Amino acid sequence: MRIHRPRPRAWAAAVFLAAASLAATALGTPAGADDSLRAGPGIKPGVEDDGADCAAPEPGAGTANSKLPDPFTKLDGTRVTAKSDWRCRRAEIKKLAERFVYGEKHTKPASVTGTVSGTSITVNVTDQGRSSSFSAKVELPSGSGPFPAVVVLGGFGADTATIKASGAAVISYDPLAVGREGTPRNNKQGAFYSVYGSSSSTGLLMAWAWGASRIIDVIEQSGGGILRADAIGVTGCSRYGKGAFAVGAFDQRIALTMPIESGTAGLPIYRGVPGESGAQPLSSAYSEQPWLGDAFGSFTGNPATLPVDTHEIVAMVAPRGLFVMENPHIDWLGARSGSVAALGGAEVYKALGAGSNISYWSDVQDGNHCAVRSEWKAPLQQNIRKFLLRTGNDPGVIRVSGKKAGNLAEWRNWQTPILTGQP
């Protein structure tokens, strides 16, 4: 069974748990403030990777651990004690995720040029003596710019009407132009692989993330007359939800990350997938398409030996905006393991004083895959106002369907520390 296109069949209604809000320090900047002060929490305009200067040691595979790794324990065995420590701890997690899960993203190429108009973005890249190009469609909302924007991967599943009605532009990005599906691992194709080689060990999801980052590069260079580079979101559903998750985790210029029904290789914890009835097996997700990096093949049969898991990929987004939308009606999507990832990552958000910046919502009635859902409309609007328009400050909301409710306590043997100081 392959889940990647909307299906007409309706699925059973969800039984849900009571809604719970995550309250934390209010983070907001008054409308009309100088643009340099209006970027969302955790955003440094022009900085794709704030931890690039961190001296992270080379990670090893580690020993088997059936519990989720402690996101607060550094590779040298010491624990994070201050909020300011998180920058370099995130860099360690990034290195682990690249080494064992996604493959190397590669830093900004030697040359990135392009154009931004009210209808399209063009991207031209040159690095290591090789070049490639791709483009994306732009749809502007009504009103006068410059506008925040949401990069929509793949063209389906996202509520683009609500995004535009909320005042944000839609950038329709075809990730298959950057990393093509239907190719063998030793002959990957697309703009990323034209530059870094068809035998690159980097998987498609990271290639897609690299392409989205190059779109942001071009927006930054455009002067900001049409689109705002400091107010960019990303979303996508199914395989493109996997991609949106990677885009937001690996580029700290993304102010709001919104994966939808991402399934295995997306949000669900790798350690939980084998024990979740009906969830797409890790080996299936690894072999269906070269989404994950080649190195992940060593862990499909024993994810307990992975030194990283997806709750830490969630934590890589912190303290920036994150709104996870999940479907509990389709077993293949592994929503129970997805809820554990969100709850585990939320512990990092809370430790950083940003607990109100993460939302998770699987309490939905319509079981169709990649449907536009009424339950998600209001939180979508609230997140766009808060993180892209900077005109709201609604707290994040956790609504877990009782149909697929994970229990974080079963998966961790670590406690969340009280971190000192400022991020």
Side-chain angles (χ1 to χ4, degrees):
M1 178 182 179
R2 298 176 62 196
I3 296 290
H4 63 280
R5 289 290 185 265
R7 299 180 182 273
R9 181 180 174 185
W11 297 74
V15 179
F16 65 91
L17 298 179
S21 293
L22 293 176
T25 305
L27 294 169
T29 304
D34 181 83
D35 278 351
S36 65
L37 301 177
R38 292 183 64 211
I43 302 295
K44 291 184 178 180
V47 180
E48 180 178 345
D49 177 15
D50 187 35
D53 64 331
C54 293
E58 289 301 312
T63 56
N65 178 12
S66 62
K67 302 291 187 181
L68 293 177
D70 180 0
F72 300 102
T73 295
K74 296 182 281 187
L75 291 178
D76 66 5
T78 62
R79 283 201 106 207
V80 171
T81 58
K83 294 175 183 177
S84 58
D85 294 339
W86 181 251
R87 184 177 74 89
C88 287
R89 173 56 185 150
R90 180 190 175 278
E92 292 184 344
I93 294 170
K94 176 179 180 290
K95 183 172 283 191
L96 289 168
E98 287 186 283
R99 173 71 61 85
F100 299 110
V101 179
Y102 293 97
E104 185 182 359
K105 183 180 180 183
H106 294 282
T107 56
K108 183 178 178 179
S111 173
V112 181
T113 61
T115 61
V116 176
S117 73
T119 58
S120 68
I121 297 173
T122 63
V123 180
N124 308 299
V125 171
T126 300
D127 200 19
Q128 303 179 10
R130 297 179 178 180
S131 299
S132 63
S133 301
F134 60 98
S135 62
K137 179 183 175 183
V138 174
E139 298 174 72
L140 299 179
S142 59
S144 57
F147 300 101
V150 177
V151 178
V152 177
L153 277 68
F156 70 92
D159 187 353
T160 55
T162 295
I163 292 171
K164 287 192 292 183
S166 299
V170 169
I171 300 172
S172 297
Y173 165 44
D174 177 12
L176 301 185
V178 177
R180 193 172 305 147
E181 292 188 334
T183 61
R185 287 190 171 273
N186 61 358
N187 189 27
K188 303 183 184 82
Q189 302 295 316
F192 176 91
Y193 301 102
S194 295
V195 174
Y196 300 109
S198 60
S199 61
S200 167
S201 61
T202 297
L204 300 184
L205 300 181
M206 189 65 96
W208 298 351
W210 174 89
S213 292
R214 308 296 65 91
I215 289 173
I216 298 174
D217 292 341
V218 172
I219 295 172
E220 286 180 334
Q221 296 166 13
S222 70
I226 299 173
L227 301 176
R228 288 184 53 190
D230 66 343
I232 301 291
V234 64
T235 192
C237 189
S238 198
R239 63 191 60 205
Y240 302 127
K242 308 180 203 298
F245 185 41
V247 170
F250 287 91
D251 194 326
Q252 290 176 283
R253 296 171 296 181
I254 296 289
L256 176 59
T257 302
M258 299 183 288
I260 307 168
E261 302 182 41
S262 59
T264 304
L267 201 80
I269 55 169
Y270 308 122
R271 284 163 170 78
V273 166
E276 182 166 350
S277 177
Q280 183 177 19
L282 297 174
S283 58
S284 172
Y286 180 77
S287 61
E288 180 177 338
Q289 299 289 344
W291 292 321
L292 295 165
D294 294 357
F296 190 80
S298 300
F299 302 97
T300 57
N302 188 12
T305 58
L306 268 170
V308 66
D309 215 314
T310 58
H311 68 303
E312 294 174 298
I313 313 300
V314 170
M316 284 179 63
V317 183
R320 295 171 290 131
L322 178 61
F323 176 28
V324 176
M325 290 161 272
E326 217 156 33
N327 182 350
H329 302 286
I330 301 176
D331 291 343
W332 192 250
L333 296 173
R336 178 174 290 111
S337 295
S339 71
V340 175
L343 294 170
E347 294 302 300
V348 173
Y349 271 85
K350 289 188 285 187
L352 294 175
S356 67
N357 290 350
I358 179 172
S359 290
Y360 175 91
W361 200 304
S362 63
D363 172 21
V364 295
Q365 299 299 310
D366 180 358
N368 289 334
H369 187 43
C370 292
V372 173
R373 307 182 196 283
S374 59
E375 295 98 332
W376 293 339
K377 183 174 182 177
L380 174 60
Q381 293 169 324
Q382 291 167 355
N383 276 276
I384 289 173
R385 285 196 299 266
K386 181 174 181 178
F387 297 107
L388 302 185
L389 299 173
R390 306 299 293 151
T391 59
N393 199 34
D394 294 279
V397 174
I398 304 294
R399 288 184 64 116
V400 183
S401 167
K403 189 176 179 71
K404 293 286 183 179
N407 182 357
L408 177 61
E410 296 177 357
W411 288 100
R412 67 165 171 170
N413 53 11
W414 44 268
Q415 295 301 314
T416 302
I418 298 175
L419 303 182
T420 62
Q422 296 297 316

